[in-house]
Amino acid sequence: MTKSPRKHKPGGIVHTYQKYDPMKFPSPKTPPPDLVSPAMEHWLMYGDRMELTPEQLANAVKIDPSQIAGLGPSIESLIKMLEERKRKILETYETDAAQKGAKKAYRDHGEPMQPPKRQRERFQLGFEQEQLYDLERVWYGLDDERSPFARDLVMLIEHLSRKYEVDQLVAKYTFTGLQAMTVDKAIEVKEELEKIDELLEQLKQAKENAQIGIIDMEQLSEYADPGEMEQLMQLQRQVEQYLREQAEQQGLTNQSGNVHLTPQAYKIFQGKLLERIFGNLQASRTGRHQGPIVGEGAVELQSTKDYEFGDSLTNMDIPQTLINAMLRQGDERPLQMRSEDIVIHKTKNNPKCATCVIMDMSGSMRYDAQYANVKRMALAMQGLIRSEYPGDFLQMIEMYSFAKPVAPGDVIGLLPKPVTIHDPVVRLRADMSKPEISEYRIPPHFTNIQHALQQARLFLSSQDTPNRQIILITDGLPTAHFEGHELFLLYPPDLRTEEATMREGKLCQQQGITINMFLVPSWSQSEEDIRFAYRLAESTKGRVFFTAGNDLDRYVVWDYINRKREVLG
């Protein structure tokens, strides 16, 4: 009986059809690493003062270590190899001989030395107590740096430094072997053990977050096999290429060796901020997704309803209306539409709100990096309004000794102003109408709430909406104000400045502008700062919030949404 030819069943290598090789990096099922957040946090902290290099960005990014499992040599095997090398060193040597040798060399060299009379006491104290600092002071105090004593002193300092290294070796590591070491050998062993410890730390970090780039390949090559090193370096190149591609996809560009932002990166970061802010809302709550106020509104919803007398036909769902008419009429032509065929899109009322955010960038905001929290809040507000309330008006204002409007793209580069006057009492006045006086000659680190409120009021007065508010973020009392063209810089805070600030707050209230003050903590904050916040809120019928700073973005965004709900209601 002849065998029938064996049929080939369909199948084969599925991952080739899917254009995915499971041995290649990365897995398409794993979400890409977040490169935007560490980049933005760098600029929030340093602004434009410090560039961000691709290497710094790569070291800040955390990758799921499961993505590199099975690729290149096992990091775990490299760790075990280094730990075995370290164990053998500790089990081979003992340190008593090296410690005694280092001490003997130091004593033998120093005891015969004869210092100059005026340096003798300090020399003897430093020599007996083995104080490197005192011996260096003796050398700096010598009249002749080329004298025999000076040359001997340099050698003594070298002996003491070597003794320090041997003592550090004994204190840091526990040796259990029997083989004696010379001082030179002990220092050599110390350097090798420290190198192994450094590599172990790098490998453990790489194992946790796939940061292959932090591994010192040159040092590791002294211990690992050439084949393993080649595989590891290939993996490192794969990771670097992957991060470059992800950076481009997330809006980070490499220009002249430094990382730069694009509008896409801003949008991604703002989305992540909002996701974090609303991420801890309970599932049983509606959160920010409030039900629409259904009625005659401006924003068309996807949901529909049957037409009722009085509904505007501008919101008609034309495709569904035509389908209804054809289903009812069948093949009869021409098509005649009736009122029962018409379907209308529901709408919601979305009244416009206008907001000015005053960001304190005075000198005191540098403490605890509060300025970074303020900028993070500003970016979250921009993202919220762009995505959820695109019709709302938002203006950012930077506040220091003056107040200036800030474009959305410039918020990330703001930094607290440097403190240029350290006197305990400052009483300065400058006539800014004089051409010889410019802003750049004025100390910038004071807090001018009055000018900031004035700028915000001017912006909001041109907005055709009754829903206007100022969000004021600061850490305490004002220390600067304008009276006409004259600028006053007064520290400690003066009643004259507070009165000018209160007058401007009253003008805001008269124009229907609500002032919401968010008071962040500061090292110099006192009860008087808190009382000022209450006085401003009471006199203007505004509100005051106290926040730790790191949750500022959540406070401001939630409050904004709650106010929108009140307006909608």
Side-chain angles (χ1 to χ4, degrees):
M1 181 176 178
T2 58
K3 292 183 179 180
S4 60
R6 187 175 181 179
K7 294 182 179 180
H8 293 283
K9 295 182 179 180
I13 305 176
V14 178
H15 67 253
T16 299
Y17 174 75
Q18 295 175 335
K19 296 183 179 180
Y20 164 54
D21 186 341
M23 289 303 292
K24 289 185 178 179
F25 179 81
S27 165
K29 295 183 179 180
T30 307
D34 178 13
L35 279 78
V36 171
S37 293
M40 294 295 286
E41 290 297 335
H42 173 91
W43 281 299
L44 285 173
M45 187 62 65
Y46 300 108
D48 297 327
R49 288 186 183 176
M50 185 180 296
E51 296 286 356
L52 178 64
T53 65
E55 292 77 16
Q56 290 173 323
L57 178 60
N59 290 339
V61 173
K62 289 179 170 41
I63 302 177
D64 184 354
S66 64
Q67 289 187 260
I68 63 171
L71 303 177
S74 167
I75 292 181
E76 187 66 38
S77 67
L78 293 173
I79 291 175
K80 289 181 179 179
M81 178 266 295
L82 289 173
E83 289 177 340
E84 178 65 16
R85 171 64 179 165
K86 180 178 178 179
R87 183 185 64 80
K88 287 182 178 179
I89 292 174
L90 296 177
E91 290 179 353
T92 300
Y93 299 104
E94 62 87 20
T95 55
D96 288 345
Q99 204 168 16
K100 292 176 181 177
K103 184 173 183 178
K104 184 176 184 303
Y106 171 72
R107 303 294 302 185
D108 290 348
H109 188 87
E111 287 176 351
M113 292 177 62
Q114 296 295 324
K117 186 175 181 180
R118 63 187 182 88
Q119 297 283 3
R120 188 170 300 163
E121 184 178 352
R122 168 167 273 186
F123 173 81
Q124 290 297 332
L125 181 65
F127 176 72
E128 294 298 333
Q129 295 184 355
E130 299 179 356
Q131 293 296 318
L132 193 63
Y133 175 80
D134 287 334
L135 295 179
E136 288 176 344
R137 291 297 93 196
V138 172
W139 188 87
Y140 283 117
L142 294 176
D143 296 328
D144 185 4
E145 297 177 358
R146 298 183 179 181
S147 65
F149 175 78
R151 290 196 294 269
D152 286 341
L153 184 56
V154 171
M155 292 297 299
L156 181 66
I157 291 174
E158 176 66 20
H159 282 300
L160 183 55
S161 298
R162 289 160 61 82
K163 183 180 182 301
Y164 277 0
E165 291 203 60
V166 174
D167 291 343
Q168 288 173 2
L169 175 68
V170 175
K172 191 173 183 180
Y173 302 100
T174 302
F175 288 84
T176 59
L178 299 175
Q179 185 175 332
M181 291 186 289
T182 63
V183 175
D184 289 337
K185 181 63 177 177
I187 294 174
E188 179 185 332
V189 168
K190 175 176 176 288
E191 291 175 352
E192 182 175 2
L193 288 173
E194 289 175 344
K195 189 186 300 182
I196 291 175
D197 285 344
E198 185 178 356
L199 286 170
L200 284 171
E201 181 63 28
Q202 294 170 0
L203 288 169
K204 288 174 182 177
Q205 287 188 34
K207 181 183 175 183
E208 290 178 3
N209 49 44
Q211 290 181 329
I212 307 297
I214 66 174
I215 300 174
D216 190 329
M217 296 295 184
E218 184 177 351
Q219 285 192 3
L220 186 60
S221 64
E222 298 178 14
Y223 303 97
D225 294 332
E228 289 182 319
M229 288 305 303
E230 178 58 33
Q231 293 178 35
L232 191 62
M233 286 189 284
Q234 174 64 25
L235 177 58
Q236 185 183 44
R237 289 190 290 268
Q238 285 181 287
V239 172
E240 290 173 352
Q241 177 62 27
Y242 173 59
L243 291 179
R244 280 194 295 269
E245 293 172 357
Q246 287 299 318
E248 292 176 2
Q249 293 177 17
Q250 296 180 29
L252 300 173
T253 61
N254 189 341
Q255 300 176 13
S256 304
N258 293 313
V259 179
H260 290 266
L261 289 169
T262 66
Q264 179 189 359
Y266 271 94
K267 291 179 182 179
I268 292 175
F269 183 66
Q270 289 168 340
K272 291 183 180 296
L273 283 177
L274 294 176
E275 183 180 349
R276 177 181 62 82
I277 289 171
F278 296 107
N280 62 348
L281 292 182
Q282 298 178 8
S284 60
R285 301 291 295 255
T286 58
R288 64 188 177 119
H289 304 286
Q290 70 273 15
I293 307 302
V294 178
E296 195 66 33
V299 179
E300 193 175 86
L301 303 176
Q302 290 185 353
S303 57
T304 60
K305 71 182 187 69
D306 293 336
Y307 171 79
E308 297 176 5
F309 180 76
D311 287 340
S312 173
L313 294 178
T314 57
N315 300 313
M316 180 194 301
D317 184 347
I318 296 176
Q320 187 61 50
T321 300
L322 292 174
I323 291 172
N324 291 343
M326 288 187 288
L327 290 173
R328 177 184 53 77
Q329 192 168 321
D331 296 333
E332 185 181 346
R333 294 293 182 272
L335 192 65
Q336 295 182 350
M337 192 178 302
R338 297 179 181 176
S339 60
E340 61 263 28
D341 300 327
I342 301 175
V343 175
I344 300 292
H345 279 287
K346 295 179 181 180
T347 60
K348 68 176 181 179
N349 189 15
N350 193 19
K352 177 180 176 182
C353 289
T355 303
C356 277
V357 177
I358 298 174
M359 303 175 290
D360 191 348
M361 288 292 148
S362 61
S364 59
M365 293 297 287
R366 69 185 186 275
Y367 295 103
D368 293 329
Q370 292 291 9
Y371 66 94
N373 296 324
V374 172
K375 294 193 291 182
R376 193 178 294 108
M377 174 278 306
L379 293 174
M381 282 290 292
Q382 289 175 2
L384 174 72
I385 289 177
R386 189 191 67 249
S387 61
E388 300 290 331
Y389 311 108
D392 285 6
F393 171 82
L394 178 66
Q395 176 64 54
M396 302 292 175
I397 295 177
E398 178 189 15
M399 176 178 69
Y400 50 109
S401 296
F402 300 87
K404 286 189 173 182
V406 181
D410 296 334
V411 170
I412 196 72
L414 296 179
L415 288 174
K417 305 305 177 186
V419 177
T420 56
I421 297 179
H422 299 277
D423 297 342
V425 178
V426 179
R427 292 291 183 267
L428 296 177
R429 181 177 64 180
D431 187 350
M432 301 306 297
S433 64
K434 294 183 178 180
E436 66 271 15
I437 298 180
S438 68
E439 176 186 333
Y440 301 101
R441 300 181 62 182
I442 303 297
H445 59 277
F446 290 79
T447 306
N448 197 334
I449 298 178
Q450 175 262 338
H451 192 213
L453 291 176
Q454 182 187 67
Q455 292 289 308
R457 178 171 57 83
L458 294 176
F459 274 111
L460 294 175
S461 62
S462 62
Q463 297 301 312
D464 185 19
T465 174
N467 310 309
R468 295 176 292 178
Q469 68 168 337
I470 294 172
I471 296 175
L472 168 62
I473 299 104
T474 184
D475 60 355
L477 285 158
T479 54
H481 73 279
F482 273 97
E483 293 182 10
H485 294 293
E486 290 188 324
L487 172 65
F488 290 82
L489 305 176
L490 306 175
Y491 184 85
D494 192 90
L495 181 60
R496 186 172 182 176
T497 299
E498 181 176 335
E499 290 174 347
T501 304
M502 293 296 180
R503 285 195 297 271
E504 187 58 48
K506 279 287 189 182
L507 292 176
C508 293
Q509 181 200 355
Q510 291 170 10
Q511 294 187 17
I513 300 171
T514 302
I515 299 176
N516 298 310
M517 184 174 181
F518 289 80
L519 195 67
V520 297
S522 171
W523 68 274
S524 59
Q525 200 169 79
S526 66
E527 185 179 352
E528 188 55 35
D529 295 287
I530 298 173
R531 287 178 177 174
F532 163 74
Y534 277 120
R535 287 195 295 270
L536 180 63
E538 290 172 358
S539 65
T540 62
K541 292 183 170 58
R543 299 181 300 166
V544 59
F545 301 83
F546 300 94
T547 170
N550 54 1
D551 56 357
L552 178 64
D553 51 358
R554 181 176 288 110
Y555 268 82
V556 175
V557 169
W558 282 5
D559 180 65
Y560 186 87
I561 291 174
N562 287 333
R563 286 181 60 79
K564 288 289 292 189
R565 287 175 179 168
E566 293 173 6
V567 172
L568 290 170

